[in-house]
Amino acid sequence: MTFLRPSDPAPRLLFRRIAVAMVATLCLPAWAQVSPKANDLLRQMTLEEKIAQLSQLPGFPIAEFKEQVGVPPEEIARKYGAGSVLWVSDPKEINRWQHIAVDESRLHIPIMFGLDVIHGYHTIFPSPIAMASSWDPKMVESAQAVAAREARAAGIAWTFGPMVDIARDARWGRMVEGAGEDPYLGAAMARAQVLGFQGPQPGAPEHVLACVKHFAGYGAADGGRDYDSSYIPEEEMWNVYLPPFKAAADAGVGSFMSAYMDLNDVPASGNRWLLHDVLRDAWHYQGFVVSDANAVHSLIVHGYARDGRDAAQKAFGAGLNMDMASGTYLKYLAAEVQQGRIAMQQIDDAVLPILEAKIKLGLFEHPFVDESRIEQVLNAPEHARLARQAVTRSVVLLRNEQKLLPLDKTRIKSMAVIGPLADAQLDLLDMWGAIVKPGPTVSILQGIKDKVGDAVRVEFAHGPNIRRDVPSFFENVPMFTIKEQPKQTSEEAHKALDDAVAAAKRSDVAVVVLGEIALMSGEAASRSSLNLSGGQEELLEAVAATGKPVVLVLVNGRPLEISWAAEHVPAILEAWYPGSQGGIGVADVLFGDANPAGHLPVSWPRSTGQLPLYYNHNRTQRPEDAPDFTSRYWDVLTSPLYPFGYGLSYTTFSFDNLKTSKTEAKVGTSLDVSVDVSNTGSRAGDAVVQLYIHQRAGSASRPVRQLKGFQRVNLAPGAKQTIHFTLGPDELRFWSPPRKEWVVEPEQFDVWAGEDSTAKLHAEFRLTP
Ligand code: BGC
């Protein structure tokens, strides 16, 4: 197969290209191997049919598309076929569209239906940030395999996940969709999700094609404002933002999605450095790239492309195979070829990986949904069981003074379950969880009631409603079923607060469920303050003032400002958006049927003003551990409220005996690091053993700490286990800005092991030339 070679066919590059293509061919991932069938189809295709494969049609009316293309999407599918159709999730509709393509289009090429199956289709798992909090890639892989099985049974062959954007600024609403701030944990989660979605080999039965997104740097939006420009120096791209994408590519991900925003002044969807130099030249990636929704047309809106023709030329020229729903390729690409600005060979190179994906997915043999099978797959009891387990493995216990948790249901007579999210169902799923076909969801209130049965009186008080100040435009998109909570007068809000306080007074214990409704996190859901909005802080403080023991359960997509709670509320459990089994899983943890072991995949700020905040920053000339220095702010500590990697358990662990197998190792070789972890408490639990390193000097300043290994292990009370990690070239290398290359440097290294990024147990080693 030839490489995708859009535009720029300068002859002097030819030799290099051939050489690169030859090397790349030797290590082609299975998605990319071109079959005789793909070549055969390509030979028969007209230019228009090829461009239709490079297009994802909107599966619902979009005014801009109609304006641009002038023909309804179905007409295109009928005449020329279609690469994909976006956002059709009803199996009947899928079959109707598919019949158009397969029965009526000339070459009968099936459509690959694409949807955001981000953390479940019918059985909704915890949001990605929650699943990352499990530090359990195996569980995450299994969860995404279930998501794939359900989606595939309903006719979705392509998911727009995993989302692997590094997020260091919690103001950015899409932090919820990724694995947090760290490239190492992010890469592990990226790999696990690709394997879960796609299965052991491309086209594995009951699996889907994955699409890693948003390539790249979307999480670094200025001010955390969604869609805003990202300015990321090359070294930060290579060392921080790109590693999860590279991990997905290495795991064989079938497609990439380009991001919306400007990266260093060039929109990602028209950014040849990203889509070509990094993806094709450096990584030899052979799958295909789809734009984010309407992003090809948006190149004009950005002020990067002059007009539609220029937008098509710039996106295609950058290396973007498929136009998501903007119709720009449909309208302009043919003329570009006819007028000689794009070669037919380039079009062919762009089409081939799309055809190949359809072949591998078996769509030619089985294009239609078997509607009689769907219910049975969606309702498989093991799916719900896994979702429940995913909740208990993902929640993070942030505080537990005097062992308030777990609650003992034999000693409690009455409970108040309070808060605007306590009885929420759809809001437990987050935005993407509610766009698909979510099955029944158990609220936290219901989960608690089911757990305690009749023996405990459970009283619910909603408290004041919460709403965004600026409404979400997703509320008006028909596919999104989630809504804001209704507006209240201030009298209504006051009464709701008083009722909640009264309920707390009548009860032995109050569980207060606060946070963000689904529309407050996710796309177009950035915020300037991370406070407990809409009177929630007042509600919490008023309930705490009753003197009753209070457990705060947070339902949200990002860290929130909870400094008051962190001092005054004895127990805090971060549940994130826990998915359809959320209420059951949270109740399992509250009452001790499961022991929490989630650990934060992000640094939890004390105040919004600290953002962006991340543990793996460089040392300053006045480090926080200098004897006479505590903060670089005068009004708050620089350190987070809870560090990256932090999480409590109902048991306790101790770490000792940190050893490196050698005190000196040659650059290019590996060494073993071992540490003993013991369960020093009285119940079984999981420890998340984390390994951090620091390179003391070198061609560039290196972060104070970097995560380079982790393992989640179950330990019986009193049990001890020795955990081994390997530190080799992959862990020790970094992209050096002065040297403009990947390097492993002969220097002195620190190593720490423990249960969060502030671990004290220390060892060191030296790399020698
Ligand atoms: C989002 C993508 C998503 C796409 C299709 C866009 O608005 O940015 O993450 O995959 O829509 O739903």
Side-chain angles (χ1 to χ4, degrees):
M1 153 171 176
T2 43
F3 247 11
L4 174 79
R5 287 298 176 206
S7 93
D8 180 39
R12 66 196 153 82
L13 287 180
L14 199 60
F15 178 74
R16 192 167 143 248
R17 282 175 181 175
I18 292 170
V20 173
M22 280 168 63
V23 173
T25 310
L26 296 177
C27 47
L28 281 184
W31 282 113
Q33 284 149 22
V34 177
S35 57
K37 184 176 176 86
N39 275 320
D40 187 45
L41 275 170
L42 197 67
R43 265 196 299 277
Q44 301 173 55
M45 289 167 85
T46 64
L47 176 57
E48 286 72 19
E49 285 165 342
K50 290 174 186 172
I51 293 170
Q53 291 302 317
L54 300 180
S55 303
Q56 183 174 55
L57 307 177
F60 54 97
I62 299 189
E64 294 89 335
F65 182 90
K66 205 162 159 223
E67 223 169 83
Q68 174 101 289
V69 181
V71 187
E74 284 183 31
E75 219 26 60
I76 291 164
R78 186 168 287 119
K79 259 179 134 165
Y80 306 115
S84 177
V85 171
L86 175 66
W87 276 8
V88 177
S89 58
D90 174 12
K92 284 201 179 14
E93 263 300 281
I94 288 182
N95 276 341
R96 192 181 67 77
W97 273 91
Q98 196 66 297
H99 275 292
I100 295 175
V102 170
D103 304 343
E104 300 184 46
S105 77
R106 192 178 72 93
L107 290 174
H108 317 292
I109 300 175
I111 295 169
M112 182 168 58
F113 292 88
L115 189 71
D116 295 275
V117 181
I118 304 299
H119 50 110
Y121 176 79
H122 176 81
T123 308
I124 307 298
F125 288 87
S127 297
I129 188 130
M131 291 213 275
S133 307
S134 72
W135 296 60
D136 182 357
K138 270 282 154 224
M139 183 278 286
V140 174
E141 183 181 333
S142 309
Q144 298 300 33
V146 166
R149 187 176 311 133
E150 292 185 355
R152 196 64 203 267
I156 305 298
W158 184 22
T159 182
F160 304 128
M163 189 283 217
V164 304
D165 292 309
I166 295 292
R168 295 168 147 194
D169 186 336
R171 289 172 298 179
W172 188 53
R174 302 196 77 169
M175 177 179 262
V176 62
E177 296 176 52
E181 75 187 40
D182 183 68
Y184 186 88
L185 182 63
M189 291 299 157
R191 211 175 293 122
Q193 294 189 75
V194 170
L195 293 177
F197 285 136
Q198 295 194 161
Q201 80 280 335
E206 302 198 289
H207 284 82
V208 296
L209 183 82
C211 181
V212 67
K213 69 186 187 186
H214 306 84
F215 198 54
Y218 188 23
D222 267 359
R225 291 177 295 272
D226 202 8
Y227 313 131
D228 219 326
S229 304
S230 294
Y231 290 96
I232 310 177
E234 210 177 335
E235 60 271 21
E236 214 180 2
M237 280 306 286
W238 288 115
N239 290 324
V240 178
Y241 288 91
L242 291 176
F245 289 96
K246 177 68 164 58
D250 290 345
V253 73
S255 59
F256 268 63
M257 183 187 292
S258 63
Y260 276 134
M261 79 300 145
D262 274 348
L263 174 66
N264 302 330
D265 286 345
V266 181
S269 297
N271 191 314
R272 190 169 161 87
W273 178 77
L274 268 180
L275 304 185
H276 185 273
D277 298 358
V278 173
L279 192 57
R280 268 67 180 233
D281 265 2
W283 294 353
H284 306 150
Y285 182 68
Q286 297 282 308
F288 68 94
V289 181
V290 64
S291 72
D292 202 337
N294 210 37
V296 178
H297 176 76
S298 299
L299 296 182
I300 310 170
V301 186
H302 277 275
Y304 177 59
R306 228 165 289 124
D307 48 28
R309 191 193 72 71
D310 196 28
Q313 173 68 253
K314 282 187 161 130
F316 189 79
L320 191 131
N321 306 59
M322 190 185 277
D323 170 2
M324 184 185 280
S326 90
T328 311
Y329 278 9
L330 282 168
K331 180 153 182 195
Y332 297 101
L333 271 191
E336 292 303 287
V337 177
Q338 282 144 6
Q339 290 161 25
R341 285 186 291 269
I342 291 175
M344 186 63 97
Q345 182 62 51
Q346 295 172 295
I347 297 282
D348 289 355
D349 290 349
V351 173
L352 269 173
I354 296 167
L355 292 178
E356 205 50 56
K358 294 183 177 188
I359 293 168
K360 288 276 176 352
L361 286 163
L363 289 176
F364 285 86
E365 290 80 17
H366 303 290
F368 301 110
V369 186
D370 175 357
E371 291 178 43
S372 68
R373 243 188 98 239
I374 302 175
E375 286 306 307
Q376 174 211 333
V377 175
L378 301 194
N379 296 314
E382 66 270 23
H383 293 189
R385 271 201 297 276
L386 186 61
R388 176 177 181 172
Q389 198 197 35
V391 181
T392 61
R393 292 181 82 78
S394 297
V395 296
V396 185
L397 182 62
L398 295 175
R399 183 171 154 92
N400 195 17
E401 292 302 290
Q402 274 123 45
K403 298 195 178 162
L404 175 58
L405 292 179
L407 299 172
D408 182 350
K409 62 182 182 222
T410 61
R411 298 176 73 178
I412 296 172
K413 296 274 167 297
S414 57
M415 282 179 81
V417 181
I418 293 171
L421 287 155
D423 66 338
Q425 295 184 349
L426 280 184
D427 283 309
L428 297 191
L429 308 183
D430 93 16
M431 209 180 93
W432 289 127
I435 186 200
V436 285
K437 286 271 170 277
T441 296
V442 183
S443 70
I444 292 175
L445 174 65
Q446 193 57 49
I448 290 175
K449 280 185 170 168
D450 293 350
K451 180 70 72 184
V452 298
D454 293 336
V456 180
R457 182 180 61 80
V458 177
E459 188 176 348
F460 167 61
H462 185 282
N465 284 353
I466 48 174
R467 297 177 58 77
R468 291 168 52 128
D469 299 333
V470 178
S472 166
F473 63 76
F474 284 109
E475 249 197 318
N476 300 320
V477 178
M479 272 69 65
F480 288 88
T481 41
I482 355 169
K483 299 280 173 248
E484 294 264 8
Q485 298 190 346
K487 263 203 181 103
Q488 282 175 317
T489 61
S490 67
E491 290 76 42
E492 286 167 334
H494 275 117
K495 167 145 191 344
L497 189 141
D498 292 345
D499 290 350
V501 171
K505 284 185 179 155
R506 284 191 289 268
S507 306
D508 294 341
V509 57
V511 174
V512 185
V513 187
L514 304 179
E516 299 178 301
I517 55 169
L519 285 171
M520 287 176 172
S521 260
E523 184 172 349
S526 294
R527 54 191 298 191
S528 68
S529 159
L530 301 181
N531 64 0
L532 283 166
S533 67
Q536 294 184 93
E537 183 74 38
E538 292 78 354
L539 174 67
L540 181 65
E541 294 186 17
V543 170
T546 63
K548 297 293 169 119
V550 175
V551 179
L552 170 62
V553 177
L554 292 169
V555 170
N556 50 327
R558 47 154 82 87
L560 298 174
E561 268 189 34
I562 53 162
S563 291
W564 185 88
E567 269 184 52
H568 300 97
V569 174
I572 307 177
L573 186 68
E574 173 54 85
W576 308 110
Y577 294 112
S580 7
Q581 295 288 306
I584 304 179
V586 166
D588 283 343
V589 172
L590 290 178
F591 292 93
D593 292 333
N595 189 353
H599 285 248
L600 292 174
V602 286
S603 304
W604 192 292
R606 296 168 191 276
S607 90
T608 313
Q610 287 179 294
L611 298 172
L613 184 70
Y614 45 94
Y615 82 96
N616 48 1
H617 57 82
N618 289 359
R619 264 171 98 75
T620 66
Q621 61 100 11
R622 227 107 198 260
E624 276 71 15
D625 55 5
D628 58 341
F629 194 73
T630 44
S631 180
R632 278 172 282 132
Y633 297 111
W634 62 255
D635 55 350
V636 69
L637 291 176
T638 325
S639 61
L641 182 63
Y642 301 114
F644 172 83
Y646 170 86
L648 302 174
S649 161
Y650 295 151
T651 187
T652 47
F653 300 101
S654 75
F655 294 79
D656 21 44
N657 212 12
L658 176 63
K659 285 195 299 222
T660 58
S661 57
K662 310 170 198 166
T663 48
E664 284 197 353
K666 273 198 173 323
V667 163
T669 64
S670 299
L671 60 145
D672 178 83
V673 183
S674 60
V675 63
D676 293 346
V677 52
S678 311
N679 183 342
T680 48
S682 53
R683 60 174 290 172
D686 288 5
V688 174
V689 185
Q690 302 163 37
L691 181 80
Y692 295 87
I693 65 162
H694 168 61
Q695 179 178 329
R696 285 202 196 157
S699 63
S701 298
R702 303 304 301 136
V704 283
R705 287 189 182 200
Q706 290 179 282
L707 180 73
K708 290 296 173 181
F710 64 88
Q711 272 182 51
R712 179 170 172 151
V713 283
N714 184 264
L715 292 171
K720 170 160 128 181
Q721 198 174 322
T722 304
I723 307 295
H724 291 270
F725 298 99
T726 301
L727 287 179
D730 283 350
E731 289 76 24
L732 299 170
R733 70 182 198 148
F734 71 99
W735 198 89
S736 163
R739 294 175 56 183
K740 297 245 171 275
E741 59 179 347
W742 290 97
V743 296
V744 180
E745 296 184 331
E747 294 292 348
Q748 191 74 17
F749 287 80
D750 297 297
V751 185
W752 295 267
E755 44 190 345
D756 65 49
S757 56
T758 65
K760 302 277 176 298
L761 192 62
H762 176 258
E764 55 189 87
F765 67 92
R766 167 170 284 280
L767 283 188
T768 57

